[in-house]
mmCIF file of all heavy atoms in Angstrom:
data_model
loop_
_atom_site.group_PDB
_atom_site.id
_atom_site.type_symbol
_atom_site.label_atom_id
_atom_site.label_comp_id
_atom_site.label_asym_id
_atom_site.label_seq_id
_atom_site.Cartn_x
_atom_site.Cartn_y
_atom_site.Cartn_z
ATOM 1 N N ALA A 1 73.992 -22.293 21.993
ATOM 2 C CA ALA A 1 74.572 -20.970 21.594
ATOM 3 C C ALA A 1 75.163 -20.292 22.804
ATOM 4 O O ALA A 1 74.851 -20.604 23.949
ATOM 5 C CB ALA A 1 73.429 -20.088 21.040
ATOM 6 N N PHE A 2 76.126 -19.358 22.521
ATOM 7 C CA PHE A 2 76.802 -18.663 23.603
ATOM 8 C C PHE A 2 76.373 -17.296 23.619
ATOM 9 O O PHE A 2 76.600 -16.449 22.769
ATOM 10 C CB PHE A 2 78.303 -18.841 23.451
ATOM 11 C CG PHE A 2 78.811 -20.180 23.776
ATOM 12 C CD1 PHE A 2 78.785 -21.236 22.867
ATOM 13 C CD2 PHE A 2 79.333 -20.426 25.100
ATOM 14 C CE1 PHE A 2 79.236 -22.495 23.195
ATOM 15 C CE2 PHE A 2 79.827 -21.683 25.341
ATOM 16 C CZ PHE A 2 79.774 -22.766 24.492
ATOM 17 N N ALA A 3 75.785 -16.865 24.768
ATOM 18 C CA ALA A 3 75.225 -15.507 24.945
ATOM 19 C C ALA A 3 76.296 -14.468 24.885
ATOM 20 O O ALA A 3 76.161 -13.443 24.248
ATOM 21 C CB ALA A 3 74.452 -15.465 26.244
ATOM 22 N N ASP A 4 77.410 -14.741 25.616
ATOM 23 C CA ASP A 4 78.491 -13.686 25.767
ATOM 24 C C ASP A 4 79.748 -13.886 24.932
ATOM 25 O O ASP A 4 80.709 -13.264 25.167
ATOM 26 C CB ASP A 4 78.816 -13.611 27.233
ATOM 27 C CG ASP A 4 79.206 -14.895 27.852
ATOM 28 O OD1 ASP A 4 79.120 -15.923 27.162
ATOM 29 O OD2 ASP A 4 79.433 -14.924 29.081
ATOM 30 N N ARG A 5 79.587 -14.728 23.932
ATOM 31 C CA ARG A 5 80.747 -15.003 23.082
ATOM 32 C C ARG A 5 80.490 -14.566 21.613
ATOM 33 O O ARG A 5 79.366 -14.749 21.064
ATOM 34 C CB ARG A 5 81.169 -16.416 23.066
ATOM 35 C CG ARG A 5 81.774 -16.942 24.379
ATOM 36 C CD ARG A 5 83.150 -16.286 24.673
ATOM 37 N NE ARG A 5 84.102 -16.552 23.542
ATOM 38 C CZ ARG A 5 84.826 -17.665 23.395
ATOM 39 N NH1 ARG A 5 84.634 -18.625 24.207
ATOM 40 N NH2 ARG A 5 85.590 -17.720 22.345
ATOM 41 N N ALA A 6 81.508 -13.975 20.971
ATOM 42 C CA ALA A 6 81.301 -13.546 19.558
ATOM 43 C C ALA A 6 81.492 -14.714 18.640
ATOM 44 O O ALA A 6 82.284 -15.689 18.972
ATOM 45 C CB ALA A 6 82.376 -12.447 19.247
ATOM 46 N N TYR A 7 80.839 -14.671 17.529
ATOM 47 C CA TYR A 7 80.900 -15.739 16.538
ATOM 48 C C TYR A 7 81.645 -15.266 15.276
ATOM 49 O O TYR A 7 81.633 -14.135 14.850
ATOM 50 C CB TYR A 7 79.528 -16.121 16.101
ATOM 51 C CG TYR A 7 78.849 -17.089 17.093
ATOM 52 C CD1 TYR A 7 78.109 -16.553 18.172
ATOM 53 C CD2 TYR A 7 78.896 -18.464 17.032
ATOM 54 C CE1 TYR A 7 77.473 -17.348 19.116
ATOM 55 C CE2 TYR A 7 78.259 -19.279 17.915
ATOM 56 C CZ TYR A 7 77.595 -18.735 18.956
ATOM 57 O OH TYR A 7 76.930 -19.593 19.828
ATOM 58 N N ASN A 8 82.350 -16.274 14.696
ATOM 59 C CA ASN A 8 83.000 -16.105 13.359
ATOM 60 C C ASN A 8 81.897 -16.335 12.295
ATOM 61 O O ASN A 8 80.805 -16.909 12.612
ATOM 62 C CB ASN A 8 84.148 -17.067 13.124
ATOM 63 C CG ASN A 8 85.289 -16.755 14.053
ATOM 64 O OD1 ASN A 8 85.814 -15.578 14.067
ATOM 65 N ND2 ASN A 8 85.852 -17.721 14.744
ATOM 66 N N ALA A 9 82.130 -15.959 11.045
ATOM 67 C CA ALA A 9 81.207 -16.116 10.051
ATOM 68 C C ALA A 9 80.777 -17.528 9.697
ATOM 69 O O ALA A 9 79.743 -17.858 9.184
ATOM 70 C CB ALA A 9 81.687 -15.450 8.739
ATOM 71 N N ASP A 10 81.703 -18.567 10.106
ATOM 72 C CA ASP A 10 81.415 -19.900 9.834
ATOM 73 C C ASP A 10 80.684 -20.599 11.049
ATOM 74 O O ASP A 10 80.474 -21.825 11.084
ATOM 75 C CB ASP A 10 82.687 -20.693 9.597
ATOM 76 C CG ASP A 10 83.653 -20.756 10.778
ATOM 77 O OD1 ASP A 10 83.352 -20.084 11.847
ATOM 78 O OD2 ASP A 10 84.759 -21.352 10.608
ATOM 79 N N GLY A 11 80.307 -19.758 12.009
ATOM 80 C CA GLY A 11 79.565 -20.291 13.177
ATOM 81 C C GLY A 11 80.388 -20.762 14.391
ATOM 82 O O GLY A 11 79.896 -21.194 15.368
ATOM 83 N N SER A 12 81.745 -20.719 14.205
ATOM 84 C CA SER A 12 82.660 -21.058 15.269
ATOM 85 C C SER A 12 82.851 -19.840 16.208
ATOM 86 O O SER A 12 82.482 -18.782 15.886
ATOM 87 C CB SER A 12 83.990 -21.527 14.743
ATOM 88 O OG SER A 12 84.619 -20.470 14.060
ATOM 89 N N LEU A 13 83.339 -20.185 17.406
ATOM 90 C CA LEU A 13 83.566 -19.069 18.368
ATOM 91 C C LEU A 13 84.806 -18.289 18.079
ATOM 92 O O LEU A 13 85.825 -18.964 17.785
ATOM 93 C CB LEU A 13 83.566 -19.609 19.786
ATOM 94 C CG LEU A 13 82.277 -20.364 20.340
ATOM 95 C CD1 LEU A 13 82.520 -20.926 21.630
ATOM 96 C CD2 LEU A 13 81.073 -19.423 20.222
ATOM 97 N N VAL A 14 84.788 -17.038 18.243
ATOM 98 C CA VAL A 14 86.014 -16.183 18.109
ATOM 99 C C VAL A 14 86.981 -16.529 19.227
ATOM 100 O O VAL A 14 86.611 -16.637 20.401
ATOM 101 C CB VAL A 14 85.769 -14.674 18.194
ATOM 102 C CG1 VAL A 14 86.912 -13.851 18.118
ATOM 103 C CG2 VAL A 14 84.778 -14.321 17.005
ATOM 104 N N SER A 15 88.250 -16.736 18.894
ATOM 105 C CA SER A 15 89.214 -17.124 19.884
ATOM 106 C C SER A 15 89.268 -16.122 21.059
ATOM 107 O O SER A 15 89.241 -14.862 20.772
ATOM 108 C CB SER A 15 90.613 -17.253 19.245
ATOM 109 O OG SER A 15 91.640 -17.383 20.242
ATOM 110 N N ARG A 16 89.444 -16.549 22.313
ATOM 111 C CA ARG A 16 89.543 -15.653 23.447
ATOM 112 C C ARG A 16 90.795 -14.843 23.395
ATOM 113 O O ARG A 16 90.915 -13.834 24.085
ATOM 114 C CB ARG A 16 89.542 -16.493 24.731
ATOM 115 C CG ARG A 16 88.139 -17.074 25.080
ATOM 116 C CD ARG A 16 88.177 -17.833 26.417
ATOM 117 N NE ARG A 16 86.915 -18.255 26.891
ATOM 118 C CZ ARG A 16 86.080 -17.583 27.583
ATOM 119 N NH1 ARG A 16 86.439 -16.420 28.117
ATOM 120 N NH2 ARG A 16 84.903 -18.093 28.016
ATOM 121 N N ARG A 17 91.695 -15.209 22.538
ATOM 122 C CA ARG A 17 92.946 -14.372 22.416
ATOM 123 C C ARG A 17 92.679 -13.128 21.627
ATOM 124 O O ARG A 17 93.561 -12.244 21.562
ATOM 125 C CB ARG A 17 94.050 -15.222 21.682
ATOM 126 C CG ARG A 17 94.548 -16.409 22.480
ATOM 127 C CD ARG A 17 95.679 -17.133 21.830
ATOM 128 N NE ARG A 17 96.198 -18.279 22.572
ATOM 129 C CZ ARG A 17 95.682 -19.522 22.415
ATOM 130 N NH1 ARG A 17 94.736 -19.700 21.502
ATOM 131 N NH2 ARG A 17 96.203 -20.536 23.105
ATOM 132 N N LEU A 18 91.610 -13.048 20.919
ATOM 133 C CA LEU A 18 91.312 -11.913 20.081
ATOM 134 C C LEU A 18 90.396 -10.868 20.768
ATOM 135 O O LEU A 18 89.494 -11.269 21.525
ATOM 136 C CB LEU A 18 90.726 -12.384 18.771
ATOM 137 C CG LEU A 18 91.498 -13.335 17.911
ATOM 138 C CD1 LEU A 18 90.722 -13.733 16.627
ATOM 139 C CD2 LEU A 18 92.818 -12.668 17.481
ATOM 140 N N PRO A 19 90.556 -9.547 20.415
ATOM 141 C CA PRO A 19 89.687 -8.547 21.046
ATOM 142 C C PRO A 19 88.239 -8.746 20.553
ATOM 143 O O PRO A 19 88.023 -9.114 19.416
ATOM 144 C CB PRO A 19 90.275 -7.219 20.468
ATOM 145 C CG PRO A 19 91.074 -7.652 19.262
ATOM 146 C CD PRO A 19 91.592 -8.971 19.492
ATOM 147 N N GLY A 20 87.308 -8.490 21.430
ATOM 148 C CA GLY A 20 85.877 -8.606 21.085
ATOM 149 C C GLY A 20 85.324 -10.013 21.160
ATOM 150 O O GLY A 20 84.121 -10.214 20.850
ATOM 151 N N SER A 21 86.195 -10.943 21.630
ATOM 152 C CA SER A 21 85.696 -12.352 21.674
ATOM 153 C C SER A 21 84.628 -12.590 22.804
ATOM 154 O O SER A 21 83.757 -13.489 22.622
ATOM 155 C CB SER A 21 86.847 -13.273 21.954
ATOM 156 O OG SER A 21 87.464 -13.036 23.181
ATOM 157 N N VAL A 22 84.699 -11.777 23.824
ATOM 158 C CA VAL A 22 83.689 -11.867 24.943
ATOM 159 C C VAL A 22 82.847 -10.573 24.909
ATOM 160 O O VAL A 22 83.406 -9.491 24.929
ATOM 161 C CB VAL A 22 84.365 -12.130 26.254
ATOM 162 C CG1 VAL A 22 83.284 -12.199 27.381
ATOM 163 C CG2 VAL A 22 85.131 -13.380 26.223
ATOM 164 N N ILE A 23 81.521 -10.733 24.996
ATOM 165 C CA ILE A 23 80.629 -9.550 24.982
ATOM 166 C C ILE A 23 80.210 -9.223 26.467
ATOM 167 O O ILE A 23 79.764 -10.212 27.114
ATOM 168 C CB ILE A 23 79.432 -9.843 24.172
ATOM 169 C CG1 ILE A 23 79.859 -10.145 22.711
ATOM 170 C CG2 ILE A 23 78.456 -8.622 24.100
ATOM 171 C CD1 ILE A 23 78.751 -10.683 21.816
ATOM 172 N N HIS A 24 80.409 -8.090 26.966
ATOM 173 C CA HIS A 24 80.240 -7.784 28.299
ATOM 174 C C HIS A 24 78.928 -6.927 28.588
ATOM 175 O O HIS A 24 78.565 -6.884 29.682
ATOM 176 C CB HIS A 24 81.399 -7.011 28.861
ATOM 177 C CG HIS A 24 82.665 -7.729 28.797
ATOM 178 N ND1 HIS A 24 82.996 -8.818 29.636
ATOM 179 C CD2 HIS A 24 83.764 -7.680 27.921
ATOM 180 C CE1 HIS A 24 84.167 -9.361 29.291
ATOM 181 N NE2 HIS A 24 84.632 -8.673 28.303
ATOM 182 N N ASP A 25 78.309 -6.385 27.543
ATOM 183 C CA ASP A 25 77.144 -5.533 27.765
ATOM 184 C C ASP A 25 75.931 -6.368 27.865
ATOM 185 O O ASP A 25 75.483 -7.005 26.937
ATOM 186 C CB ASP A 25 77.022 -4.598 26.526
ATOM 187 C CG ASP A 25 75.893 -3.539 26.742
ATOM 188 O OD1 ASP A 25 74.864 -3.825 27.363
ATOM 189 O OD2 ASP A 25 76.115 -2.407 26.313
ATOM 190 N N PRO A 26 75.254 -6.392 29.073
ATOM 191 C CA PRO A 26 74.059 -7.228 29.250
ATOM 192 C C PRO A 26 72.909 -6.982 28.286
ATOM 193 O O PRO A 26 72.296 -7.952 27.909
ATOM 194 C CB PRO A 26 73.615 -6.847 30.748
ATOM 195 C CG PRO A 26 74.861 -6.339 31.409
ATOM 196 C CD PRO A 26 75.625 -5.655 30.332
ATOM 197 N N ALA A 27 72.672 -5.722 27.930
ATOM 198 C CA ALA A 27 71.628 -5.443 26.982
ATOM 199 C C ALA A 27 71.891 -5.940 25.600
ATOM 200 O O ALA A 27 71.015 -6.455 24.959
ATOM 201 C CB ALA A 27 71.399 -3.892 26.918
ATOM 202 N N VAL A 28 73.136 -5.838 25.169
ATOM 203 C CA VAL A 28 73.568 -6.405 23.812
ATOM 204 C C VAL A 28 73.379 -7.904 23.827
ATOM 205 O O VAL A 28 72.890 -8.478 22.864
ATOM 206 C CB VAL A 28 75.034 -5.974 23.512
ATOM 207 C CG1 VAL A 28 75.468 -6.735 22.246
ATOM 208 C CG2 VAL A 28 75.103 -4.458 23.293
ATOM 209 N N VAL A 29 73.902 -8.543 24.924
ATOM 210 C CA VAL A 29 73.845 -9.984 25.004
ATOM 211 C C VAL A 29 72.313 -10.462 24.937
ATOM 212 O O VAL A 29 72.014 -11.339 24.207
ATOM 213 C CB VAL A 29 74.398 -10.467 26.344
ATOM 214 C CG1 VAL A 29 74.040 -11.895 26.622
ATOM 215 C CG2 VAL A 29 75.912 -10.299 26.327
ATOM 216 N N ALA A 30 71.484 -9.769 25.749
ATOM 217 C CA ALA A 30 70.080 -10.152 25.786
ATOM 218 C C ALA A 30 69.335 -9.977 24.409
ATOM 219 O O ALA A 30 68.629 -10.906 24.001
ATOM 220 C CB ALA A 30 69.333 -9.299 26.792
ATOM 221 N N GLU A 31 69.607 -8.902 23.668
ATOM 222 C CA GLU A 31 68.957 -8.598 22.486
ATOM 223 C C GLU A 31 69.471 -9.620 21.357
ATOM 224 O O GLU A 31 68.648 -10.070 20.558
ATOM 225 C CB GLU A 31 69.152 -7.212 22.007
ATOM 226 C CG GLU A 31 68.336 -6.183 22.836
ATOM 227 C CD GLU A 31 66.888 -6.502 22.728
ATOM 228 O OE1 GLU A 31 66.358 -6.829 21.636
ATOM 229 O OE2 GLU A 31 66.207 -6.310 23.755
ATOM 230 N N ARG A 32 70.728 -9.947 21.336
ATOM 231 C CA ARG A 32 71.205 -10.868 20.303
ATOM 232 C C ARG A 32 70.718 -12.214 20.579
ATOM 233 O O ARG A 32 70.418 -12.999 19.625
ATOM 234 C CB ARG A 32 72.777 -10.820 20.230
ATOM 235 C CG ARG A 32 73.483 -11.462 21.386
ATOM 236 C CD ARG A 32 74.959 -11.064 21.379
ATOM 237 N NE ARG A 32 75.702 -11.570 20.272
ATOM 238 C CZ ARG A 32 76.482 -12.668 20.244
ATOM 239 N NH1 ARG A 32 76.552 -13.444 21.411
ATOM 240 N NH2 ARG A 32 77.128 -13.052 19.192
ATOM 241 N N MET A 33 70.521 -12.676 21.808
ATOM 242 C CA MET A 33 70.013 -14.004 22.081
ATOM 243 C C MET A 33 68.527 -14.071 21.892
ATOM 244 O O MET A 33 67.936 -15.156 21.513
ATOM 245 C CB MET A 33 70.333 -14.472 23.518
ATOM 246 C CG MET A 33 71.813 -14.844 23.691
ATOM 247 S SD MET A 33 72.328 -16.209 22.677
ATOM 248 C CE MET A 33 73.163 -15.512 21.296
ATOM 249 N N LEU A 34 67.808 -13.019 22.125
ATOM 250 C CA LEU A 34 66.358 -12.961 21.855
ATOM 251 C C LEU A 34 66.201 -13.192 20.378
ATOM 252 O O LEU A 34 65.259 -13.920 19.928
ATOM 253 C CB LEU A 34 65.728 -11.615 22.320
ATOM 254 C CG LEU A 34 64.331 -11.410 21.985
ATOM 255 C CD1 LEU A 34 63.465 -12.414 22.599
ATOM 256 C CD2 LEU A 34 63.847 -9.965 22.345
ATOM 257 N N ARG A 35 67.013 -12.492 19.576
ATOM 258 C CA ARG A 35 66.907 -12.630 18.058
ATOM 259 C C ARG A 35 67.244 -14.041 17.693
ATOM 260 O O ARG A 35 66.563 -14.649 16.831
ATOM 261 C CB ARG A 35 67.801 -11.640 17.370
ATOM 262 C CG ARG A 35 67.714 -11.757 15.841
ATOM 263 C CD ARG A 35 68.446 -10.599 15.069
ATOM 264 N NE ARG A 35 68.264 -10.781 13.736
ATOM 265 C CZ ARG A 35 69.268 -11.007 12.869
ATOM 266 N NH1 ARG A 35 70.470 -11.243 13.297
ATOM 267 N NH2 ARG A 35 68.937 -11.221 11.575
ATOM 268 N N MET A 36 68.172 -14.684 18.314
ATOM 269 C CA MET A 36 68.554 -16.047 18.021
ATOM 270 C C MET A 36 67.364 -16.988 18.299
ATOM 271 O O MET A 36 67.080 -17.859 17.522
ATOM 272 C CB MET A 36 69.741 -16.499 18.880
ATOM 273 C CG MET A 36 70.435 -17.791 18.487
ATOM 274 S SD MET A 36 69.488 -19.299 19.106
ATOM 275 C CE MET A 36 69.808 -19.040 20.866
ATOM 276 N N VAL A 37 66.658 -16.787 19.393
ATOM 277 C CA VAL A 37 65.509 -17.612 19.742
ATOM 278 C C VAL A 37 64.414 -17.442 18.825
ATOM 279 O O VAL A 37 63.761 -18.407 18.269
ATOM 280 C CB VAL A 37 65.126 -17.350 21.210
ATOM 281 C CG1 VAL A 37 63.817 -18.123 21.431
ATOM 282 C CG2 VAL A 37 66.134 -17.731 22.208
ATOM 283 N N VAL A 38 64.139 -16.162 18.441
ATOM 284 C CA VAL A 38 62.915 -15.831 17.576
ATOM 285 C C VAL A 38 63.199 -16.028 16.164
ATOM 286 O O VAL A 38 62.330 -16.646 15.409
ATOM 287 C CB VAL A 38 62.542 -14.335 17.815
ATOM 288 C CG1 VAL A 38 61.398 -13.936 16.899
ATOM 289 C CG2 VAL A 38 62.106 -14.157 19.260
ATOM 290 N N GLU A 39 64.430 -15.646 15.640
ATOM 291 C CA GLU A 39 64.659 -15.729 14.169
ATOM 292 C C GLU A 39 65.681 -16.776 13.839
ATOM 293 O O GLU A 39 65.829 -17.116 12.601
ATOM 294 C CB GLU A 39 65.186 -14.302 13.750
ATOM 295 C CG GLU A 39 64.197 -13.221 13.948
ATOM 296 C CD GLU A 39 64.776 -11.912 13.461
ATOM 297 O OE1 GLU A 39 65.779 -11.854 12.677
ATOM 298 O OE2 GLU A 39 64.329 -10.829 13.962
ATOM 299 N N GLY A 40 66.449 -17.344 14.834
ATOM 300 C CA GLY A 40 67.436 -18.306 14.500
ATOM 301 C C GLY A 40 68.699 -17.707 13.807
ATOM 302 O O GLY A 40 69.354 -18.391 13.079
ATOM 303 N N ARG A 41 69.017 -16.472 14.158
ATOM 304 C CA ARG A 41 70.139 -15.783 13.512
ATOM 305 C C ARG A 41 70.840 -14.897 14.515
ATOM 306 O O ARG A 41 70.335 -14.307 15.464
ATOM 307 C CB ARG A 41 69.678 -14.909 12.268
ATOM 308 C CG ARG A 41 68.885 -15.690 11.291
ATOM 309 C CD ARG A 41 68.691 -14.993 9.969
ATOM 310 N NE ARG A 41 69.966 -14.884 9.183
ATOM 311 C CZ ARG A 41 70.401 -15.830 8.430
ATOM 312 N NH1 ARG A 41 69.737 -16.935 8.234
ATOM 313 N NH2 ARG A 41 71.542 -15.699 7.766
ATOM 314 N N VAL A 42 72.189 -14.676 14.248
ATOM 315 C CA VAL A 42 73.026 -13.733 15.015
ATOM 316 C C VAL A 42 73.943 -13.004 14.113
ATOM 317 O O VAL A 42 74.174 -13.412 12.961
ATOM 318 C CB VAL A 42 73.850 -14.451 16.135
ATOM 319 C CG1 VAL A 42 72.945 -15.045 17.119
ATOM 320 C CG2 VAL A 42 74.783 -15.428 15.517
ATOM 321 N N ILE A 43 74.422 -11.769 14.545
ATOM 322 C CA ILE A 43 75.494 -11.087 13.793
ATOM 323 C C ILE A 43 76.874 -11.571 14.175
ATOM 324 O O ILE A 43 77.169 -11.562 15.387
ATOM 325 C CB ILE A 43 75.289 -9.592 13.970
ATOM 326 C CG1 ILE A 43 73.964 -9.063 13.654
ATOM 327 C CG2 ILE A 43 76.443 -8.884 13.196
ATOM 328 C CD1 ILE A 43 73.579 -9.300 12.158
ATOM 329 N N ALA A 44 77.601 -11.977 13.204
ATOM 330 C CA ALA A 44 79.003 -12.460 13.468
ATOM 331 C C ALA A 44 79.917 -11.274 13.622
ATOM 332 O O ALA A 44 79.527 -10.084 13.348
ATOM 333 C CB ALA A 44 79.503 -13.310 12.251
ATOM 334 N N ILE A 45 81.109 -11.473 14.093
ATOM 335 C CA ILE A 45 82.082 -10.407 14.412
ATOM 336 C C ILE A 45 82.445 -9.601 13.196
ATOM 337 O O ILE A 45 82.832 -8.462 13.395
ATOM 338 C CB ILE A 45 83.359 -10.997 15.125
ATOM 339 C CG1 ILE A 45 84.101 -9.855 15.897
ATOM 340 C CG2 ILE A 45 84.195 -11.813 14.163
ATOM 341 C CD1 ILE A 45 85.145 -10.423 16.845
ATOM 342 N N ASP A 46 82.333 -10.211 11.997
ATOM 343 C CA ASP A 46 82.619 -9.432 10.812
ATOM 344 C C ASP A 46 81.465 -8.673 10.261
ATOM 345 O O ASP A 46 81.579 -8.089 9.174
ATOM 346 C CB ASP A 46 83.256 -10.371 9.815
ATOM 347 C CG ASP A 46 82.280 -11.389 9.218
ATOM 348 O OD1 ASP A 46 81.143 -11.449 9.752
ATOM 349 O OD2 ASP A 46 82.601 -12.153 8.270
ATOM 350 N N GLY A 47 80.302 -8.722 10.952
ATOM 351 C CA GLY A 47 79.177 -8.013 10.553
ATOM 352 C C GLY A 47 78.158 -8.851 9.700
ATOM 353 O O GLY A 47 77.093 -8.340 9.382
#
């Protein structure tokens, strides 16, 4: 899994050419990856 990259709804990575593809907030990155480890789920770029 990629800590600092946004995901599409199909589980692919959002293209770096698109806004929001890279996540820069350390707290946001940490919390989303903690949830991935504990629950096996993440929020995609479309919500």
Side-chain angles (χ1 to χ4, degrees):
F2 285 82
D4 51 2
R5 291 293 305 279
Y7 281 87
N8 293 307
D10 64 356
S12 63
L13 299 177
V14 175
S15 169
R16 285 180 176 270
R17 296 186 179 90
L18 300 177
S21 62
V22 179
I23 302 167
H24 300 284
D25 187 323
V28 172
V29 169
E31 286 303 318
R32 74 195 293 262
M33 286 297 99
L34 175 63
R35 182 171 182 247
M36 189 279 296
V37 173
V38 174
E39 302 178 19
R41 306 193 70 83
V42 296
I43 301 297
I45 197 166
D46 66 354

